[in-house]
Amino acid sequence: MNHDDTGRTAGRSGWGWFLAWLLVGACAGIGLAAILTVGAVFVALAAAAAVFLLRKGPRNAVVGAVSGVALPVFYLAYLNRGGPGDVCHAVSGGQTCTEEYTPVPFLVVGALLLVVGVVIHLMAGRGGGDDHVPGK
């Protein structure tokens, strides 16, 4: 087993780095989806976190960002869960209707992104991958 300077095994710590990158990808995805409102803040946070992770962590964990983009896509599927078509809800004094898309394409894209990131991470871990931590 490969041990880093802290005594942790590379395989176990790799999932922590993967999850950190997953959060970066989710933050970037939310930022791009909401770019006209608060999105710039999320994109800036994702960029800062990415710079930190690139300096401190193993490079092969960056595929977690691919899986992270799946989280906002799953949220879009959830928001459109009543679609396709007009979905009406009762409110005080009447009802309100919104047009929703079918959630299936969002679910498919989200699942593909999630699976692709996890599979690439697993394959990189088995093949030895680029587990180099800069500065070590």
Side-chain angles (χ1 to χ4, degrees):
M1 286 191 154
N2 294 336
H3 293 279
D4 63 13
D5 290 342
T6 62
R8 293 177 297 178
T9 60
R12 289 186 198 153
S13 64
W15 283 106
W17 292 110
F18 179 85
L19 291 174
W21 275 105
L22 185 133
L23 292 175
V24 169
C27 190
I30 291 168
L32 292 175
I35 198 70
L36 296 177
T37 56
V38 297
V41 174
F42 281 96
V43 170
L45 285 172
V51 168
F52 173 78
L53 290 174
L54 284 172
R55 289 184 180 173
K56 299 292 181 182
R59 301 237 190 259
N60 64 354
V62 75
V63 296
V66 174
S67 291
V69 174
L71 298 180
V73 175
F74 284 141
Y75 183 63
L76 286 173
Y78 174 77
L79 290 177
N80 288 284
R81 67 191 176 278
D86 288 334
V87 177
C88 300
H89 299 284
V91 295
S92 60
Q95 69 178 2
T96 181
C97 297
T98 57
E99 185 174 345
E100 294 183 4
Y101 300 106
T102 181
V104 174
F106 296 112
L107 287 173
V108 169
V109 169
L112 285 173
L113 288 169
L114 184 66
V115 168
V116 164
V118 169
V119 167
I120 291 173
H121 182 70
L122 288 172
M123 288 173 44
R126 279 201 189 128
D130 181 16
D131 279 336
H132 172 68
V133 177
K136 297 222 178 198

